[in-house]
Amino acid sequence: MSIMDELPVVVIGAGPVGLAAAAHLHERGLPFTVLEAGDTAGAAVRQWGHVRVFSPWRYNIDAAARRLLDEAGWAAPDLDALPTGAELAAHYLQPLAELPQVKPHLRYGARVEAISRLGLDRLRTAGRDQTPFLIRLADGDELPARAVIDASGTWGTPNVLGASGLPARGERAVAAFLEHALPDVLGADRDRFAGRHTLVVGAGHSAANTLLSLAELAAAAPGTEVTWAIRSASPSRTYGGGDADALPARGALGSRLREHVDAGRIRLLTGFRVHALTPTGDRIAVTVRHADGGEESIVVDRIVAATGFRPDHSIASELRLDLDPVMGATRALAPLIDPNEHSCGTVPPHGVDELSHPEAGYYAVGMKSYGRAPTFLMATGYEQVRSVVAALAGDWAAARDVQLDLPETGVCNSNPADSATGDSCCGPAPADATGKGLATGISGGLLSAPLTLISLDTAPAGGCCGS
């Protein structure tokens, strides 16, 4: 046995995918250490604990983790029920982290600052694959590792408001007016929104959840106003598939949102590209720049930036990563999930081969593996780590026997020009959809009833699936 075989596999992050990796490593008999920057399991999940997910429990529990929990007499939840983030953490992640097979190998308050090879920078090639990884923590501690499974996610690196991918002018200076995704509008953060005008920027499920909470608050708190701004000419992608969605809660989310917009309880602005943010007394002026160069502004009290997230690969800057320049995912995975390239379809099963880098033994999994792609299900991450751990154990047959069964949705791609035509908004999945599509699984079925929009841009509307 070599010294590499005696070293642990280091897992970064004790969220759903990181703890699933720990369960699979235990089953394979591989030594491991889980490093969690927070002080509890699922620290990031708990930050959106008030939000009820749209996938039932059956999609949120990893198979290896379930086997360990069942052996310990775990009382499983109703598999058809929809957990909140807090319930996911309390009833699944924390019990998993407390198991004797996991707890001794889990370190809290362990923030990873950098990953390299022991004694080698990324320029050195000779003997690299047989040299241990070096994990440096923020407190200065250093750990050697046989391999690294980075399940740190993207929660800590939200996208900016600026439409060009750069912060809008003045964005950093007005941080006191900004909220990142999923504030607890009806709970702990209620006072910041009640009786005020809030602008929600974004077209994803995080934006939809926040908008529905704000609409509920507006019904109870006089003076509460809600404005929703998206860059596209149509909100169809956010409304999703309605009754055609295989996850009913996800379909209902879009349907309820549309009802509020139709009733005027939420004002919808399209073609909304944030250019500058300027304090105006105790409010903030949001300047919008149109495609033709014209500008106008809207004055609000709060802004919720539900603009998605991006991966932070800086901790791996001394490793040899092969990242797609657009998505920030591996080059092998990026074409399978890029919403600019594919219309309706399903994500193909993928595992260790698609997640591998030139740096042997390093794998980014979970949300981080998808780079800037906005759609991801926990079940995808669970299959990723099952495949990666099988490969680390030398079981390549199991590693490459990847399978992924995800529920369908009515969410299409983000490029109107790529949308298919047909009876439904996006039409049926194309015959060659294998190997293409979004991570949630897609087969069309968008709502197509007309909607009166307030357009802030003169650009053509394009297809119904634009974003």
Side-chain angles (χ1 to χ4, degrees):
M1 179 179 290
S2 70
I3 186 173
M4 289 285 280
D5 293 329
E6 297 174 357
L7 292 176
V9 175
V10 167
V11 179
I12 305 176
V17 177
L19 289 177
H24 284 277
L25 287 163
H26 169 76
E27 284 199 338
R28 290 282 183 173
L30 298 178
F32 66 91
T33 299
V34 180
L35 303 176
E36 168 56 47
D39 58 4
T40 185
V45 173
R46 295 173 194 269
Q47 292 188 46
W48 49 267
H50 56 284
V51 177
R52 191 170 298 281
V53 302
F54 47 68
S55 53
W57 272 109
R58 67 177 67 255
Y59 289 108
N60 303 327
I61 301 172
D62 171 72
R66 175 70 189 266
R67 289 189 287 270
L68 288 180
L69 287 165
D70 285 346
E71 289 175 5
W74 180 57
D78 179 355
L79 295 182
D80 293 322
L82 303 174
T84 63
E87 290 167 345
L88 185 69
H91 303 315
Y92 171 56
L93 299 180
Q94 197 62 47
L96 180 58
E98 293 295 326
L99 291 176
Q101 299 94 329
V102 176
K103 186 175 181 179
H105 311 284
L106 202 165
R107 290 180 57 176
Y108 295 115
R111 182 174 298 278
V112 174
E113 186 175 79
I115 310 169
S116 187
R117 292 280 188 177
L118 186 62
L120 304 178
D121 61 23
R122 74 180 186 187
L123 293 178
R124 295 282 299 277
T125 298
R128 188 174 191 87
D129 291 355
Q130 298 304 312
T131 300
F133 285 93
L134 175 67
I135 316 296
R136 178 173 292 172
L137 304 183
D139 63 6
D141 195 10
E142 294 182 343
L143 293 78
R146 169 192 171 185
V148 179
I149 299 177
D150 185 350
S152 57
T154 59
W155 180 257
T157 50
N159 283 327
V160 296
L161 275 173
S164 300
L166 303 175
R169 290 186 179 180
E171 183 168 342
R172 294 188 178 96
V174 298
F177 296 91
L178 301 182
E179 305 275 349
H180 290 301
L182 299 172
D184 190 0
V185 171
L186 298 174
D189 303 326
R190 187 180 192 277
D191 290 345
R192 297 207 296 271
F193 298 97
R196 299 186 178 185
H197 185 184
T198 298
L199 171 68
V200 178
V201 181
H205 290 109
S206 294
N209 271 297
T210 297
L211 287 162
L212 292 176
S213 294
L214 284 167
E216 183 175 342
L217 179 62
T224 303
E225 297 181 59
V226 187
T227 298
W228 175 29
I230 58 177
R231 297 178 188 175
S232 68
S234 168
S236 297
R237 185 171 67 91
T238 307
Y239 292 154
D243 293 341
D245 199 313
L247 293 179
R250 184 170 56 192
L253 190 73
S255 298
R256 289 169 56 205
L257 179 58
R258 180 173 191 143
E259 290 174 2
H260 284 300
V261 172
D262 287 345
R265 292 183 288 269
I266 295 174
R267 182 190 182 205
L268 174 62
L269 307 177
T270 62
F272 194 96
R273 296 172 175 84
V274 178
H275 174 62
L277 304 170
T278 309
T280 305
D282 58 354
R283 308 187 79 196
I284 184 169
V286 183
T287 301
V288 180
R289 176 168 287 178
H290 303 308
D292 62 4
E295 295 183 357
E296 60 182 286
S297 67
I298 176 175
V299 178
V300 298
D301 297 297
R302 307 292 300 171
I303 301 175
V304 177
T307 49
F309 301 85
R310 60 182 65 184
D312 180 4
H313 294 292
S314 62
I315 63 172
S317 62
E318 283 303 315
L319 300 182
R320 297 178 174 184
L321 305 188
D322 186 21
L323 296 170
D324 178 81
V326 176
M327 302 299 295
T330 61
R331 288 183 189 269
L333 180 59
L336 312 182
I337 61 175
D338 186 351
N340 292 296
E341 297 296 331
H342 305 290
S343 58
C344 308
T346 56
V347 68
H350 66 273
V352 65
D353 288 335
E354 292 80 9
L355 297 169
S356 294
H357 287 279
E359 192 72 63
Y362 171 81
Y363 305 95
V365 298
M367 284 289 295
K368 192 167 187 176
S369 74
Y370 267 53
R372 295 199 190 189
T375 49
F376 180 83
L377 289 178
M378 278 180 274
T380 305
Y382 297 158
E383 180 63 4
Q384 288 178 343
V385 296
R386 185 207 61 78
S387 173
V388 166
V389 171
L392 292 174
D395 187 353
W396 284 96
R400 288 172 171 149
D401 182 22
V402 288
Q403 302 178 18
L404 193 58
D405 181 19
L406 298 177
E408 294 178 342
T409 179
V411 180
C412 273
N413 70 351
S414 64
N415 188 342
D418 289 340
S419 298
T421 58
D423 293 337
S424 67
C425 173
C426 290
D432 63 346
T434 302
K436 302 179 180 180
L438 301 183
T440 47
I442 304 165
S443 67
L446 292 177
L447 301 175
S448 57
L451 178 66
T452 301
L453 305 177
I454 302 171
S455 180
L456 291 180
D457 207 331
T458 58
C464 60
C465 297
S467 67

